[in-house]
Amino acid sequence: MLGWPEQTKDLEEFYPNSLLETGSDLLFFWVARMVMLGEQLTGQLPFREVFLHSMVRDAHGRKMSKSLGNVLDPLDVMTGISLENLREKLKEGNLDPRELKVAESGLVKDYPHGIPECGTDALRFALCSHRVQGDDINLDVASVLAVRHFCNKVWNGVKFTLSALGEGFTPLPMAELRPQDPLDRWLLDRLRQVTEECEKKLQDYEIHQATAAIHTFWLKNYCDVYVEAVKPLLKGPVGSDAKQVLYWGAEQTLRLLAPFTPYLSEELWQRLPPAASGRVPSVCVAEYPSPQCTAHWMYPEEAQHFDFVFSVIRTLRRMRSDYNLTKARPQVFICCSQEEDLIALQSFLSPLQTLSLLGALHLSGPSPEEPGDGPGWALGIVTDTCHIHMNLKGLVDPSSELPKLQAKLKKIEKQLKGKVKEYETEENSPEMKISRIRSVMKTLERMS
């Protein structure tokens, strides 16, 4: 293929190679022969490393078999197919009538509505999201569909970024972007960490960890926190740093995603405005993000402070959910006995109010009597040294909410008497839910 035995340019550049990716079942049938023949004919091993991928099984862990009707054609997952067409494909084979009946039964059970269109990038990303070193991949179409939704989130996030940048935007060189705002610094520090993690995980062939890091950064950090926090700022006069951070957050994420979602990344990357110095013609030949390029975005203080601030935001969101506050913006007092916690909250005051949907917000240090101890105030515990007092007066009607909570409490207690399953976090356990509901009921009873 490379021109051997002639000493061609292709042979010089591409032999020996660095890596062979294959299945473990071919190790002795094919890989060993490639090694022996390559060394015999050229005096060099054809590759230095062999990466063994796992066998792809169906969602139930069964080996894909035509007789079971559980074979997933990648093209069907990419483009979608109806149940009727799946049945027709079965009949085109040479299955025994009894096997055909079993196979059709399996199709109806697994794909009652057919297979939805998921796209090439979603299938690729879903496969890369499984741990492949030593474990078989139980491929479920639902997991591919979930990745398609993630791809939609990437599309919408970049679309928002483009609208926020506006006409005439010119990105600064990465090396010159050194923002002063704590939230800007926090996001760039998270981007730096993701870049480092991706390089390490790809070098170790832990591809699923790299995809997980990118997935978490885009959804949890970029979209759910940063974009939502800067939306109010973008409506008025805003400094250039927020737009620059939005741009580089999206641009670098698309580069990180390119090996896993090449079509989506290319389409969106081409729409981003180029730097003044120009750029390469395609994201697939652009330099992959490296820790060396993002090393100047190290802001450990802002990262540590925001970890605490976000624990406050989670507590406030949980309180809003417990008291069924959908649009209301309650008055809140946050009392902290640690000066460092107060400094952190003060630094991120604007995103704290925006992401928690708060009205008037008051921060205070330790005092003999904390505000909000009377009826109509709800208490939230962030840590032993940080308490939240939320004013519910005029926002919650105890007479209408208490019956709902009592019915919910009885339902959960009934579930608890039956089969109790394992929960990932203590917060999701039935016992914790019951404790929270009783605490809410106690607060509402004091308001009655």
Side-chain angles (χ1 to χ4, degrees):
M1 179 185 70
L2 299 177
W4 180 89
E6 301 296 330
Q7 294 300 314
T8 64
K9 185 178 180 181
D10 282 349
L11 185 65
E12 181 183 347
E13 290 188 1
F14 299 110
Y15 189 95
N17 215 317
S18 57
L19 174 73
L20 174 71
E21 183 270 343
T22 185
S24 57
D25 53 331
L26 297 178
L27 193 58
F28 294 104
F29 292 104
W30 183 234
V31 178
R33 298 182 185 188
M34 294 171 70
V35 170
M36 291 186 287
L37 189 63
E39 187 175 23
Q40 176 68 25
L41 298 179
T42 68
Q44 299 182 81
L45 295 175
F47 33 78
R48 296 190 300 272
E49 295 178 292
V50 179
F51 180 53
L52 301 177
H53 65 244
S54 301
M55 179 178 290
V56 180
R57 299 178 177 269
D58 71 2
H60 309 290
R62 302 173 301 177
K63 187 175 180 179
M64 292 191 184
S65 166
K66 289 183 179 180
S67 61
L68 292 175
N70 64 342
V71 177
L72 266 180
D73 186 336
L75 294 177
D76 292 340
V77 180
M78 295 176 196
T79 60
I81 187 171
S82 65
L83 176 60
E84 188 58 35
N85 287 340
L86 283 171
R87 283 173 165 166
E88 290 299 320
K89 289 185 71 172
L90 271 181
K91 294 175 183 178
E92 292 172 1
N94 57 353
L95 291 178
D96 180 90
R98 289 172 296 181
E99 290 182 333
L100 181 61
K101 188 175 181 179
V102 173
E104 284 187 330
S105 175
L107 280 179
V108 173
K109 183 178 180 181
D110 290 340
Y111 313 113
H113 306 293
I115 299 175
E117 180 183 357
C118 297
T120 308
D121 285 342
L123 178 60
R124 186 195 305 261
F125 193 95
L127 288 170
C128 291
S129 298
H130 287 81
R131 185 180 184 275
V132 297
Q133 293 179 331
D135 294 336
D136 288 338
I137 296 176
N138 295 345
L139 184 61
D140 186 0
V141 172
S143 67
V144 186
L145 191 60
V147 176
R148 190 188 78 174
H149 296 154
F150 167 68
C151 291
N152 288 342
K153 191 76 171 179
V154 174
W155 181 278
N156 291 332
V158 175
K159 184 179 177 181
F160 169 83
T161 297
L162 289 170
S163 66
L165 298 180
E167 296 292 332
F169 173 82
T170 302
L172 288 172
M174 286 178 60
E176 296 180 15
L177 180 56
R178 300 175 184 271
Q180 298 302 313
D181 184 81
L183 189 65
D184 295 341
R185 290 187 167 200
W186 166 78
L187 185 79
L188 294 179
D189 186 82
R190 283 292 301 123
L191 181 57
R192 175 191 62 81
Q193 294 177 44
V194 171
T195 302
E196 290 180 356
E197 189 170 0
C198 282
E199 180 173 272
K200 182 179 185 305
K201 298 306 180 183
L202 290 175
Q203 287 175 346
D204 295 339
Y205 301 118
E206 293 181 347
I207 301 173
H208 64 293
Q209 297 279 17
T211 59
I214 301 169
H215 185 276
T216 299
F217 171 78
W218 185 259
L219 290 185
K220 302 296 183 182
N221 304 144
Y222 189 86
C223 292
D224 290 355
V225 174
Y226 190 77
V227 166
E228 293 301 322
V230 300
K231 277 182 180 179
L233 301 177
L234 295 172
K235 294 178 181 177
V238 60
S240 60
D241 281 349
K243 291 185 177 182
Q244 295 289 343
V245 172
L246 276 172
Y247 172 85
W248 283 111
E251 202 273 352
Q252 291 291 288
T253 301
L254 291 176
R255 292 197 192 203
L256 290 169
L257 278 172
F260 311 108
T261 58
Y263 298 106
L264 175 69
S265 300
E266 186 69 50
E267 176 67 28
L268 294 175
W269 192 79
Q270 293 291 347
R271 299 185 183 202
L272 290 174
S277 58
R279 65 180 179 190
V280 293
S282 169
V283 71
C284 68
V285 294
E287 182 182 359
Y288 199 71
S290 65
Q292 291 76 23
C293 295
T294 57
H296 62 291
W297 289 338
M298 181 179 288
Y299 303 110
E301 183 177 346
E302 283 78 2
Q304 182 181 356
H305 281 176
F306 193 76
D307 284 345
F308 171 73
V309 172
F310 200 70
S311 68
V312 175
I313 293 172
R314 282 196 301 267
T315 304
L316 286 164
R317 287 176 172 177
R318 186 169 62 245
M319 293 175 71
R320 293 182 62 89
S321 175
D322 288 344
Y323 292 98
N324 199 25
L325 301 177
T326 52
K327 297 181 180 179
R329 292 179 175 266
Q331 178 190 23
V332 167
F333 285 85
I334 302 179
C335 305
C336 297
S337 58
Q338 299 288 339
E339 184 178 357
E340 185 177 356
D341 293 344
L342 281 173
I343 294 174
L345 292 172
Q346 192 67 49
S347 300
F348 291 93
L349 194 61
S350 176
L352 172 61
Q353 286 190 281
T354 302
L355 297 173
S356 304
L357 296 177
L358 301 182
L361 174 60
H362 308 277
L363 305 179
S364 66
S367 59
E369 293 184 5
E370 290 190 349
D373 289 332
W377 289 83
L379 174 65
I381 307 296
V382 182
T383 64
D384 292 339
T385 59
C386 181
H387 298 168
I388 296 174
H389 300 271
M390 182 179 289
N391 189 357
L392 303 176
K393 297 173 183 175
L395 303 178
V396 179
D397 181 11
S399 61
S400 63
E401 292 296 327
L402 277 170
K404 298 177 186 177
L405 291 169
Q406 288 168 350
K408 189 175 181 180
L409 181 62
K410 289 180 181 179
K411 182 179 179 181
I412 296 177
E413 287 176 336
K414 185 178 179 180
Q415 293 175 347
L416 191 59
K417 291 179 182 178
K419 183 179 179 181
V420 179
K421 58 183 268 188
E422 293 291 330
Y423 287 81
E424 292 182 2
T425 62
E426 183 182 349
E427 187 176 320
N428 292 331
S429 66
E431 292 89 346
M432 182 58 67
K433 289 181 180 179
I434 289 173
S435 175
R436 284 167 53 188
I437 290 174
R438 285 176 174 163
S439 175
V440 172
M441 291 175 66
K442 186 176 180 180
T443 300
L444 295 180
E445 287 167 354
R446 292 171 63 191
M447 294 175 62
S448 301

